[in-house]
Amino acid sequence: MKTLRYFILSILSLVVHVLNGQLTTSTAMSPTALVQNVLLGTGVTVSNITYNGSPSAIGSFSATNTSLGIDQGILLTTGTVLNNGSGPQGPNNQAGCGMDNGIGSSSLLTNLLPIGSQTFNAATLEFDFIPFSDTVRFKYVFGSDEYPEFAPPNNTSYNDVFGFFISGPGFSGLQNIARLPTNGSIVSINNVNSVTNSQFYRFNGDGTNAPYNNSPFYIQYDGFTRVLEAVARVQCGQTYHLIIALADVGDGQWDSGIFLEANSLSSTTPLTVDYVVNPTHFSDPDYLAEGCSSATVTVTRAGNLSVPYSLPVIVSGTASNNVDYSGVPDAISFGPGQSTVTFTVNAIEDSDVELLETLKITFPLVDPCGNETPISILLYIHDVPVLNVNLNNPTILCAGDNINLTGTVTGGLEPYSFLWSTGATTSSISVNPSQTGEYWLQVTDICTSSPAYDTIEVQVPIYQPLTIITPADITEICPKINHTLTVTPIGGSGTYTIVWREAGNPIPIGNTNSVNISPSGSTWFYVQVTDNCGSVGFDTIYYTVLSPPLVVIPSPKVEICPGDSTYIFGTATGGYGAYSYFWPHNGATTTGVWVKPNQTQYYEIRVEDECGTFYSSGFIQVVVVKPDANFLMITNDPMANLPLVFQNLTSNGYTYDWYFGDGGYSNSTHPVHTYTEDGIYYVTLIATDIKGCVDSITKPIEVFEEFYIYIPNTFIPNADRYNNTFSGSFIGVKSIKMEIFNRWGESLFYSEDQNFSWDGTVNGKRVPDGTYTWKLVYIPNRGIEHLLTGHVNVLH
């Protein structure tokens, strides 16, 4: 494990360019496909491709508009290429990103390191290749998260290693061609950094600082080289072996990676051929559309341009010259000093349905090795499908409905141009037809000379006007007569929404064709019918009740004393005919009843008229009232021959009569009474309220013999015959316990004698002057135990 990880913060001046780009990777291609389809360029053939390492440590990448400097290619890492939080994808928001993928070491790379060094997570891609010139080359970038913490000026053993090792004719053993162009030294973390060969180094943040840690423009690695090129002198046509190897050093953490540029493994050839299809109408860039596309072919020669050069052009495939295509010459010729020749292949429109035809153009090139290595391009000529358009025809329910008309286009070649009968030029339109009418759409593609048309007739239905049939107005003598109101809609769209309401009620009373009603008085009802096209039918039905409202007038609230009775009654007005009465509490059928409640109560009276369709109610409250007598004797330690105070706690009282149990009487609200003898007395309070209602209460009280306690607060034990001892005086006391304490709570004196006397000594010695605490527990002659405490001052 790495036991020391510290960060060196460098102050850098950065010019940040905001670009819309990020590093993306894929492991979809095999190592063989990666070399043949991604890395391989011109002038080289490859074979015997092998890869040793983690399957997720190799893949293709795209890095357009990133800080890397290479747009596409192959990526090898010591961890993973996957975008799983441990891969090289930006932004650079981790100080030490990577993973240990569990792959072992590389003896080839270990041998490059000092003795005792160890490699981990090795990834090795190797293959044979044959060059067709005297030089082979490819471009690369080496990046690592070991930067900058473990690079100079901090020389450490965590110097992740890589190499491009070539062997074959002209080389003695394996030679590492990953070298700097200025001095030929190897490329490594310790050799390319901010201190050494800094012109080839790019700082990319440390995982914590902006803008590197918040923009995917920057990859995850903290540093990487500028775009370098590995170059080797070779012999034309000979077989060579190339090993591309990479490994962690010191531990399997913090990853490094090699980015190999796409199509950069190449060898100079005397002729190159490029082509561009314009415009492209299909997903395959090699497809030409009949009558609509052309391919511009550019042939470029290298070497000695001073002499003229000619080369035949061989055409093959299923396409026919001047029928399916034109513009391909029989040969190309370069004049003295001329490096490029260009010609244009035009796809001709014909009337045959051939779907797809091929056109192969071959240039029989002789390479520098003397071998014929033809260069070919393969083009495809595709029929343009017949342009056709179909309009949808949505169903309209109501005039003015919003509908969308859309043309479905098939055939032809995009982009399409649209023209509607309304003048719109979009692929779909929104219309609100108020009557039946036609709409047409014309579609033109980029190739076809004849546009496609379609026409539809949008049918807008015509409905009868919406009307409704409702019942006639209703007249009844009595209220609460049940009726059913029914509405019959005619015309409209046939889909109706019905709402019934009663006057003064905001809540609908029904939403079907019929509704039941039984109003208690004259009112009116209305119904509204709406179809789904917005047509409305409305009508009102008046319901008249001839009899006036039946009203019960109950007798007023009455207050009584407990046990009293009272007469309550009700009268009626309105209604129709004679009245009948009913009292639910006892079943009486008279206009009035006598009641005798024990507590406040409401009584209901119900009245019906001759209609008999409902009754009207009234309520009478009978309130039972009385005072609530209560009192307290509030004198502490009540004693004979001393006045006792009584507190009246009665509620709702008006006058009071007090009987004290010894023959005494008072009509005061809060009386004072004196008992001449001790004993238990029963005191009665009779309270009368303002209405004459009475309540009473009797409570026992105990009156004690007269008692008296006196305890002095100072004595002077100096033998002068005055105030020489501490003692107390007691009257009416049955027993005592007197105890005296010093300031520390020590007991100095104790006595149960009412005639106690303390001379201020303990064990024959005088106590010091000061204040002492005493505690007295006493029991009166007729009472319970009491506690008194106090202080006494001793002065000698």
Side-chain angles (χ1 to χ4, degrees):
M1 296 293 293
K2 295 178 180 174
T3 58
L4 179 62
R5 291 272 185 184
Y6 58 95
F7 297 90
I8 305 297
L9 297 178
S10 301
I11 300 176
L12 300 175
S13 298
L14 298 177
V15 178
V16 178
H17 300 278
V18 179
L19 298 175
N20 182 21
Q22 60 181 345
L23 175 66
T24 59
T25 59
S26 172
T27 57
M29 300 176 69
S30 67
T32 297
L34 287 171
V35 173
Q36 291 178 335
N37 300 330
V38 179
L39 180 62
L40 188 61
T42 60
V44 176
T45 61
V46 296
S47 61
N48 300 325
I49 302 168
T50 60
Y51 169 72
N52 289 299
S54 170
S56 64
I58 185 173
S60 61
F61 74 87
S62 175
T64 304
N65 291 336
T66 69
S67 60
L68 187 63
I70 295 178
D71 290 343
Q72 293 180 326
I74 298 176
L75 170 61
L76 276 76
T77 77
T78 60
T80 181
V81 302
L82 300 176
N83 189 7
N84 59 5
S86 298
Q89 293 79 7
N92 183 13
N93 55 10
Q94 300 183 54
C97 183
M99 62 173 289
D100 188 339
N101 61 30
I103 300 300
S105 63
S106 166
S107 59
L108 176 63
L109 294 174
T110 302
N111 292 336
L112 298 178
L113 302 171
I115 296 175
S117 300
Q118 188 175 2
T119 58
F120 302 85
N121 299 332
T124 304
L125 179 66
E126 54 184 302
F127 50 84
D128 293 333
F129 71 92
I130 299 175
F132 295 102
S133 71
D134 59 358
T135 305
V136 68
R137 62 185 71 235
F138 59 90
K139 293 181 179 180
Y140 68 95
V141 168
F142 170 69
S144 178
D145 236 17
E146 303 288 358
Y147 287 118
E149 298 91 342
F150 301 95
N154 307 305
N155 290 314
T156 70
S157 61
Y158 304 113
N159 184 23
D160 290 356
V161 63
F162 81 100
F164 304 144
F165 303 96
I166 191 171
S167 61
F171 294 97
S172 176
L174 292 172
Q175 299 293 320
N176 184 8
I177 60 173
R179 297 184 178 275
L180 296 176
T182 53
N183 53 23
S185 60
I186 64 170
V187 178
S188 67
I189 291 177
N190 285 348
N191 199 41
V192 178
N193 47 66
S194 61
V195 176
T196 309
N197 295 310
S198 60
Q199 68 271 32
F200 300 110
Y201 172 71
R202 295 188 66 177
F203 175 73
N204 196 50
D206 59 11
T208 62
N209 55 338
Y212 309 101
N213 65 349
N214 57 25
S215 172
F217 172 77
Y218 301 96
I219 65 174
Q220 184 65 249
Y221 296 146
D222 289 354
F224 48 87
T225 68
R226 296 188 179 274
V227 179
L228 300 175
E229 189 172 44
V231 182
R233 301 287 294 179
V234 293
Q235 297 177 18
C236 184
Q238 298 297 311
T239 300
Y240 290 86
H241 191 70
L242 180 65
I243 301 175
I244 301 172
L246 170 72
D248 282 329
V249 177
D251 68 5
Q253 307 301 316
W254 298 18
D255 289 350
S256 298
I258 299 173
F259 298 84
L260 305 174
E261 187 178 50
N263 307 126
S264 67
L265 178 59
S266 61
S267 179
T268 303
T269 58
L271 206 67
T272 58
V273 179
D274 295 303
Y275 65 93
V276 176
V277 174
N278 185 38
T280 56
H281 299 292
F282 303 100
S283 59
D284 192 316
D286 299 327
Y287 279 30
L288 282 73
E290 278 191 4
C292 227
S293 297
S294 63
T296 301
V297 181
T298 302
V299 183
T300 305
R301 67 166 174 162
N304 186 2
L305 302 181
S306 62
V307 299
Y309 177 70
S310 295
L311 186 69
V313 178
I314 301 172
V315 178
S316 59
T318 60
S320 300
N321 189 23
N322 293 325
V323 175
D324 299 308
Y325 68 90
S326 64
V328 180
D330 295 331
I332 57 171
S333 298
F334 295 89
Q338 184 180 2
S339 61
T340 61
V341 172
T342 300
F343 61 89
T344 300
V345 181
N346 296 302
I348 300 174
E349 180 181 1
D350 59 26
S351 58
D352 297 330
V353 180
E354 300 144 322
L355 297 180
L356 193 65
E357 297 172 291
T358 59
L359 172 61
K360 185 177 183 181
I361 304 173
T362 303
F363 304 89
L365 174 68
V366 177
D367 63 34
C369 301
N371 300 313
E372 183 175 310
T373 54
I375 299 175
S376 298
I377 62 174
L378 181 61
L379 300 174
Y380 299 86
I381 300 175
H382 199 295
D383 285 350
V384 177
V386 176
L387 182 64
N388 187 43
V389 61
N390 287 300
L391 286 175
N392 68 316
N393 195 349
T395 300
I396 292 182
L397 297 177
C398 307
D401 277 358
N402 181 273
I403 59 172
N404 288 319
L405 300 180
T406 302
T408 302
V409 183
T410 58
L413 292 174
E414 297 186 64
Y416 302 119
S417 297
F418 301 89
L419 177 62
W420 291 85
S421 54
T422 63
T425 57
T426 54
S427 60
S428 64
I429 60 173
S430 178
V431 295
N432 306 83
S434 59
Q435 59 186 9
T436 299
E438 285 190 347
Y439 293 86
W440 54 261
L441 171 63
Q442 172 186 295
V443 178
T444 306
D445 73 351
I446 197 171
C447 285
T448 308
S449 58
S450 299
Y453 295 92
D454 193 18
T455 301
I456 60 169
E457 183 178 66
V458 176
Q459 296 287 335
V460 177
I462 299 175
Y463 302 113
Q464 275 185 271
L466 175 61
T467 59
I468 60 175
I469 300 174
T470 57
D473 295 340
I474 301 170
T475 300
E476 293 283 357
I477 295 176
C478 298
K480 294 286 187 175
I481 302 298
N482 185 68
H483 283 268
T484 298
L485 303 181
T486 300
V487 61
T488 303
I490 300 173
S493 67
T495 302
Y496 307 112
T497 300
I498 300 174
V499 177
W500 291 93
R501 295 183 188 273
E502 182 180 0
N505 184 2
I507 301 175
I509 62 173
N511 56 12
T512 58
N513 289 70
S514 297
V515 63
N516 291 322
I517 60 170
S518 55
S520 58
S522 297
T523 185
W524 56 269
F525 298 90
Y526 71 81
V527 60
Q528 178 175 298
V529 179
T530 307
D531 71 4
N532 62 337
C533 292
S535 296
V536 178
F538 183 86
D539 199 5
T540 301
I541 301 98
Y542 290 93
Y543 190 115
T544 302
V545 177
L546 297 178
S547 62
L550 176 62
V551 178
V552 175
I553 303 173
S555 59
K557 180 180 75 172
V558 61
E559 294 182 347
I560 63 172
C561 297
D564 289 349
S565 60
T566 186
Y567 184 75
I568 58 176
F569 59 91
T571 59
T573 63
Y576 175 75
Y579 305 122
S580 60
Y581 299 86
F582 178 73
W583 297 85
H585 75 281
N586 64 358
T589 57
T590 57
T591 58
V593 293
W594 284 91
V595 293
K596 186 179 181 180
N598 295 321
Q599 60 186 10
T600 298
Q601 186 170 331
Y602 281 91
Y603 293 90
E604 181 187 7
I605 180 173
R606 298 176 183 176
V607 180
E608 287 188 16
D609 62 6
E610 289 186 10
C611 290
T613 55
F614 76 107
Y615 64 83
S616 182
S617 291
F619 291 88
I620 304 162
Q621 185 183 22
V622 178
V623 181
V624 178
V625 295
K626 72 178 184 65
D628 186 9
N630 194 14
F631 70 91
L632 285 178
M633 194 274 292
I634 62 175
T635 301
N636 291 327
D637 297 325
M639 292 182 290
N641 298 313
L642 293 177
L644 278 62
V645 178
F646 292 86
Q647 182 180 10
N648 193 338
L649 303 177
T650 301
S651 61
N652 298 323
Y654 183 67
T655 62
Y656 306 98
D657 296 290
W658 294 84
Y659 299 92
F660 297 108
D662 62 347
Y665 167 80
S666 175
N667 59 7
S668 299
T669 302
H670 303 288
V672 177
H673 185 70
T674 301
Y675 291 90
T676 59
E677 296 181 3
D678 62 292
I680 296 176
Y681 297 89
Y682 290 89
V683 179
T684 298
L685 168 63
I686 299 174
T688 304
D689 66 10
I690 196 169
K691 299 178 180 62
C693 300
V694 177
D695 190 31
S696 65
I697 187 172
T698 300
K699 292 184 179 181
I701 64 169
E702 185 173 7
V703 178
F704 299 100
E705 292 179 342
E706 183 179 3
F707 77 94
Y708 172 80
I709 296 175
Y710 169 73
I711 306 295
N713 61 6
T714 303
F715 76 104
I716 306 173
N718 59 3
D720 63 353
R721 295 188 301 173
Y722 297 105
N723 199 23
N724 287 318
T725 62
F726 174 68
S727 61
S729 297
F730 303 93
I731 297 175
V733 176
K734 186 187 332 184
S735 64
I736 70 164
K737 295 178 183 178
M738 170 62 78
E739 193 167 7
I740 303 172
F741 305 89
N742 62 15
R743 62 187 297 179
W744 295 281
E746 297 174 333
S747 178
L748 306 180
F749 175 81
Y750 178 81
S751 177
E752 296 184 7
D753 187 352
Q754 295 187 28
N755 297 314
F756 73 87
S757 177
W758 182 46
D759 61 1
T761 64
V762 177
N763 297 326
K765 296 182 179 181
R766 292 194 302 177
V767 298
D769 288 359
T771 300
Y772 296 83
T773 301
W774 56 264
K775 180 179 75 171
L776 174 66
V777 178
Y778 71 92
I779 300 176
N781 287 339
R782 295 186 66 180
I784 60 174
E785 186 176 271
H786 295 267
L787 171 65
L788 290 177
T789 60
H791 297 85
V792 60
N793 298 313
V794 178
L795 303 174
H796 291 98

mmCIF file of all heavy atoms in Angstrom, residues 300-327:
data_model
loop_
_atom_site.group_PDB
_atom_site.id
_atom_site.type_symbol
_atom_site.label_atom_id
_atom_site.label_comp_id
_atom_site.label_asym_id
_atom_site.label_seq_id
_atom_site.Cartn_x
_atom_site.Cartn_y
_atom_site.Cartn_z
ATOM 1 N N THR A 300 -4.226 11.504 -53.855
ATOM 2 C CA THR A 300 -3.053 12.300 -53.489
ATOM 3 C C THR A 300 -1.815 11.433 -53.619
ATOM 4 O O THR A 300 -1.789 10.281 -53.157
ATOM 5 C CB THR A 300 -3.176 12.828 -52.060
ATOM 6 O OG1 THR A 300 -4.397 13.563 -51.932
ATOM 7 C CG2 THR A 300 -2.012 13.743 -51.709
ATOM 8 N N ARG A 301 -0.765 11.990 -54.284
ATOM 9 C CA ARG A 301 0.486 11.237 -54.402
ATOM 10 C C ARG A 301 1.555 11.902 -53.532
ATOM 11 O O ARG A 301 1.496 13.097 -53.230
ATOM 12 C CB ARG A 301 0.953 11.146 -55.836
ATOM 13 C CG ARG A 301 1.389 12.475 -56.459
ATOM 14 C CD ARG A 301 2.153 12.233 -57.755
ATOM 15 N NE ARG A 301 2.472 13.475 -58.461
ATOM 16 C CZ ARG A 301 3.411 13.574 -59.408
ATOM 17 N NH1 ARG A 301 4.103 12.498 -59.761
ATOM 18 N NH2 ARG A 301 3.630 14.728 -60.005
ATOM 19 N N ALA A 302 2.560 11.089 -53.124
ATOM 20 C CA ALA A 302 3.696 11.577 -52.357
ATOM 21 C C ALA A 302 4.980 11.244 -53.108
ATOM 22 O O ALA A 302 4.951 10.636 -54.185
ATOM 23 C CB ALA A 302 3.695 10.933 -50.966
ATOM 24 N N GLY A 303 6.071 11.617 -52.556
ATOM 25 C CA GLY A 303 7.360 11.324 -53.190
ATOM 26 C C GLY A 303 7.765 12.433 -54.151
ATOM 27 O O GLY A 303 7.484 13.612 -53.936
ATOM 28 N N ASN A 304 8.419 12.057 -55.262
ATOM 29 C CA ASN A 304 8.949 12.999 -56.245
ATOM 30 C C ASN A 304 7.805 13.512 -57.106
ATOM 31 O O ASN A 304 7.237 12.792 -57.923
ATOM 32 C CB ASN A 304 10.000 12.309 -57.112
ATOM 33 C CG ASN A 304 10.679 13.293 -58.052
ATOM 34 O OD1 ASN A 304 10.395 14.493 -58.046
ATOM 35 N ND2 ASN A 304 11.599 12.771 -58.864
ATOM 36 N N LEU A 305 7.452 14.790 -56.949
ATOM 37 C CA LEU A 305 6.342 15.376 -57.686
ATOM 38 C C LEU A 305 6.783 16.024 -58.995
ATOM 39 O O LEU A 305 5.937 16.522 -59.738
ATOM 40 C CB LEU A 305 5.633 16.429 -56.821
ATOM 41 C CG LEU A 305 5.069 15.967 -55.471
ATOM 42 C CD1 LEU A 305 4.385 17.129 -54.771
ATOM 43 C CD2 LEU A 305 4.109 14.814 -55.658
ATOM 44 N N SER A 306 8.072 15.999 -59.273
ATOM 45 C CA SER A 306 8.565 16.719 -60.466
ATOM 46 C C SER A 306 8.290 15.958 -61.752
ATOM 47 O O SER A 306 8.350 16.532 -62.844
ATOM 48 C CB SER A 306 10.071 16.991 -60.331
ATOM 49 O OG SER A 306 10.794 15.760 -60.260
ATOM 50 N N VAL A 307 8.025 14.660 -61.637
ATOM 51 C CA VAL A 307 7.788 13.849 -62.841
ATOM 52 C C VAL A 307 6.305 13.551 -62.951
ATOM 53 O O VAL A 307 5.612 13.428 -61.956
ATOM 54 C CB VAL A 307 8.598 12.528 -62.795
ATOM 55 C CG1 VAL A 307 10.084 12.825 -62.736
ATOM 56 C CG2 VAL A 307 8.179 11.696 -61.586
ATOM 57 N N PRO A 308 5.775 13.466 -64.190
ATOM 58 C CA PRO A 308 4.362 13.105 -64.353
ATOM 59 C C PRO A 308 4.120 11.656 -63.945
ATOM 60 O O PRO A 308 5.042 10.833 -63.924
ATOM 61 C CB PRO A 308 4.108 13.344 -65.834
ATOM 62 C CG PRO A 308 5.431 13.211 -66.490
ATOM 63 C CD PRO A 308 6.462 13.695 -65.495
ATOM 64 N N TYR A 309 2.862 11.389 -63.623
ATOM 65 C CA TYR A 309 2.532 10.044 -63.154
ATOM 66 C C TYR A 309 1.093 9.738 -63.561
ATOM 67 O O TYR A 309 0.199 10.574 -63.402
ATOM 68 C CB TYR A 309 2.673 9.956 -61.634
ATOM 69 C CG TYR A 309 2.289 8.625 -61.040
ATOM 70 C CD1 TYR A 309 3.070 7.477 -61.232
ATOM 71 C CD2 TYR A 309 1.119 8.494 -60.284
ATOM 72 C CE1 TYR A 309 2.710 6.273 -60.669
ATOM 73 C CE2 TYR A 309 0.757 7.290 -59.721
ATOM 74 C CZ TYR A 309 1.569 6.171 -59.920
ATOM 75 O OH TYR A 309 1.202 4.952 -59.363
ATOM 76 N N SER A 310 0.874 8.533 -64.119
ATOM 77 C CA SER A 310 -0.459 8.110 -64.557
ATOM 78 C C SER A 310 -0.788 6.772 -63.929
ATOM 79 O O SER A 310 0.113 5.949 -63.679
ATOM 80 C CB SER A 310 -0.531 8.004 -66.089
ATOM 81 O OG SER A 310 -0.362 9.270 -66.674
ATOM 82 N N LEU A 311 -2.060 6.550 -63.724
ATOM 83 C CA LEU A 311 -2.519 5.325 -63.072
ATOM 84 C C LEU A 311 -3.892 4.990 -63.623
ATOM 85 O O LEU A 311 -4.781 5.854 -63.680
ATOM 86 C CB LEU A 311 -2.604 5.522 -61.554
ATOM 87 C CG LEU A 311 -2.945 4.282 -60.718
ATOM 88 C CD1 LEU A 311 -1.780 3.298 -60.751
ATOM 89 C CD2 LEU A 311 -3.227 4.706 -59.282
ATOM 90 N N PRO A 312 -4.112 3.743 -64.095
ATOM 91 C CA PRO A 312 -5.432 3.371 -64.609
ATOM 92 C C PRO A 312 -6.448 3.283 -63.469
ATOM 93 O O PRO A 312 -6.094 3.082 -62.314
ATOM 94 C CB PRO A 312 -5.187 2.004 -65.246
ATOM 95 C CG PRO A 312 -4.006 1.451 -64.526
ATOM 96 C CD PRO A 312 -3.128 2.633 -64.193
ATOM 97 N N VAL A 313 -7.719 3.431 -63.816
ATOM 98 C CA VAL A 313 -8.824 3.298 -62.863
ATOM 99 C C VAL A 313 -9.679 2.128 -63.308
ATOM 100 O O VAL A 313 -10.133 2.084 -64.459
ATOM 101 C CB VAL A 313 -9.659 4.578 -62.796
ATOM 102 C CG1 VAL A 313 -10.837 4.380 -61.834
ATOM 103 C CG2 VAL A 313 -8.815 5.764 -62.388
ATOM 104 N N ILE A 314 -9.869 1.162 -62.420
ATOM 105 C CA ILE A 314 -10.634 -0.043 -62.726
ATOM 106 C C ILE A 314 -11.973 0.047 -62.007
ATOM 107 O O ILE A 314 -12.037 0.302 -60.803
ATOM 108 C CB ILE A 314 -9.867 -1.311 -62.295
ATOM 109 C CG1 ILE A 314 -8.508 -1.380 -62.999
ATOM 110 C CG2 ILE A 314 -10.700 -2.559 -62.561
ATOM 111 C CD1 ILE A 314 -7.616 -2.504 -62.488
ATOM 112 N N VAL A 315 -13.062 -0.146 -62.768
ATOM 113 C CA VAL A 315 -14.410 -0.049 -62.222
ATOM 114 C C VAL A 315 -15.052 -1.431 -62.242
ATOM 115 O O VAL A 315 -14.968 -2.146 -63.249
ATOM 116 C CB VAL A 315 -15.264 0.943 -63.025
ATOM 117 C CG1 VAL A 315 -16.681 0.999 -62.464
ATOM 118 C CG2 VAL A 315 -14.636 2.332 -63.006
ATOM 119 N N SER A 316 -15.731 -1.797 -61.126
ATOM 120 C CA SER A 316 -16.464 -3.066 -61.059
ATOM 121 C C SER A 316 -17.696 -2.857 -60.197
ATOM 122 O O SER A 316 -17.916 -1.781 -59.658
ATOM 123 C CB SER A 316 -15.564 -4.175 -60.478
ATOM 124 O OG SER A 316 -15.121 -3.830 -59.179
ATOM 125 N N GLY A 317 -18.506 -3.902 -60.072
ATOM 126 C CA GLY A 317 -19.734 -3.822 -59.291
ATOM 127 C C GLY A 317 -20.955 -4.012 -60.176
ATOM 128 O O GLY A 317 -20.860 -4.280 -61.384
ATOM 129 N N THR A 318 -22.154 -3.846 -59.580
ATOM 130 C CA THR A 318 -23.401 -4.099 -60.313
ATOM 131 C C THR A 318 -23.924 -2.852 -61.021
ATOM 132 O O THR A 318 -24.845 -2.944 -61.833
ATOM 133 C CB THR A 318 -24.481 -4.601 -59.336
ATOM 134 O OG1 THR A 318 -24.698 -3.607 -58.330
ATOM 135 C CG2 THR A 318 -24.057 -5.896 -58.660
ATOM 136 N N ALA A 319 -23.397 -1.671 -60.703
ATOM 137 C CA ALA A 319 -23.859 -0.437 -61.334
ATOM 138 C C ALA A 319 -23.277 -0.307 -62.741
ATOM 139 O O ALA A 319 -22.154 -0.758 -63.023
ATOM 140 C CB ALA A 319 -23.469 0.766 -60.481
ATOM 141 N N SER A 320 -24.024 0.329 -63.651
ATOM 142 C CA SER A 320 -23.609 0.498 -65.054
ATOM 143 C C SER A 320 -23.254 1.954 -65.300
ATOM 144 O O SER A 320 -23.979 2.873 -64.900
ATOM 145 C CB SER A 320 -24.741 0.069 -65.991
ATOM 146 O OG SER A 320 -25.079 -1.285 -65.786
ATOM 147 N N ASN A 321 -22.117 2.139 -66.037
ATOM 148 C CA ASN A 321 -21.639 3.477 -66.369
ATOM 149 C C ASN A 321 -22.639 4.163 -67.306
ATOM 150 O O ASN A 321 -23.204 3.550 -68.215
ATOM 151 C CB ASN A 321 -20.264 3.385 -67.015
ATOM 152 C CG ASN A 321 -19.631 4.756 -67.185
ATOM 153 O OD1 ASN A 321 -19.981 5.700 -66.485
ATOM 154 N ND2 ASN A 321 -18.694 4.858 -68.114
ATOM 155 N N ASN A 322 -22.876 5.438 -67.042
ATOM 156 C CA ASN A 322 -23.779 6.282 -67.811
ATOM 157 C C ASN A 322 -25.233 5.843 -67.719
ATOM 158 O O ASN A 322 -26.100 6.396 -68.402
ATOM 159 C CB ASN A 322 -23.353 6.353 -69.279
ATOM 160 C CG ASN A 322 -22.029 7.089 -69.438
ATOM 161 O OD1 ASN A 322 -21.762 8.050 -68.699
ATOM 162 N ND2 ASN A 322 -21.204 6.631 -70.368
ATOM 163 N N VAL A 323 -25.519 4.814 -66.934
ATOM 164 C CA VAL A 323 -26.892 4.411 -66.657
ATOM 165 C C VAL A 323 -27.210 4.670 -65.175
ATOM 166 O O VAL A 323 -28.219 5.292 -64.837
ATOM 167 C CB VAL A 323 -27.138 2.933 -67.006
ATOM 168 C CG1 VAL A 323 -28.565 2.515 -66.591
ATOM 169 C CG2 VAL A 323 -26.936 2.705 -68.492
ATOM 170 N N ASP A 324 -26.315 4.150 -64.343
ATOM 171 C CA ASP A 324 -26.491 4.331 -62.896
ATOM 172 C C ASP A 324 -25.558 5.400 -62.333
ATOM 173 O O ASP A 324 -25.843 5.949 -61.262
ATOM 174 C CB ASP A 324 -26.234 3.009 -62.168
ATOM 175 C CG ASP A 324 -27.205 1.927 -62.601
ATOM 176 O OD1 ASP A 324 -28.424 2.192 -62.562
ATOM 177 O OD2 ASP A 324 -26.753 0.844 -62.984
ATOM 178 N N TYR A 325 -24.454 5.660 -63.031
ATOM 179 C CA TYR A 325 -23.506 6.650 -62.528
ATOM 180 C C TYR A 325 -22.776 7.248 -63.718
ATOM 181 O O TYR A 325 -22.791 6.714 -64.843
ATOM 182 C CB TYR A 325 -22.505 6.018 -61.550
ATOM 183 C CG TYR A 325 -21.544 5.047 -62.194
ATOM 184 C CD1 TYR A 325 -20.317 5.471 -62.714
ATOM 185 C CD2 TYR A 325 -21.876 3.693 -62.314
ATOM 186 C CE1 TYR A 325 -19.447 4.571 -63.321
ATOM 187 C CE2 TYR A 325 -21.024 2.794 -62.923
ATOM 188 C CZ TYR A 325 -19.805 3.238 -63.423
ATOM 189 O OH TYR A 325 -18.947 2.361 -64.023
ATOM 190 N N SER A 326 -22.036 8.327 -63.453
ATOM 191 C CA SER A 326 -21.171 8.946 -64.452
ATOM 192 C C SER A 326 -20.051 9.663 -63.722
ATOM 193 O O SER A 326 -20.117 9.895 -62.517
ATOM 194 C CB SER A 326 -21.965 9.941 -65.310
ATOM 195 O OG SER A 326 -22.431 11.020 -64.513
ATOM 196 N N GLY A 327 -18.992 10.007 -64.499
ATOM 197 C CA GLY A 327 -17.924 10.823 -63.926
ATOM 198 C C GLY A 327 -16.687 10.074 -63.531
ATOM 199 O O GLY A 327 -15.723 10.705 -63.072
#
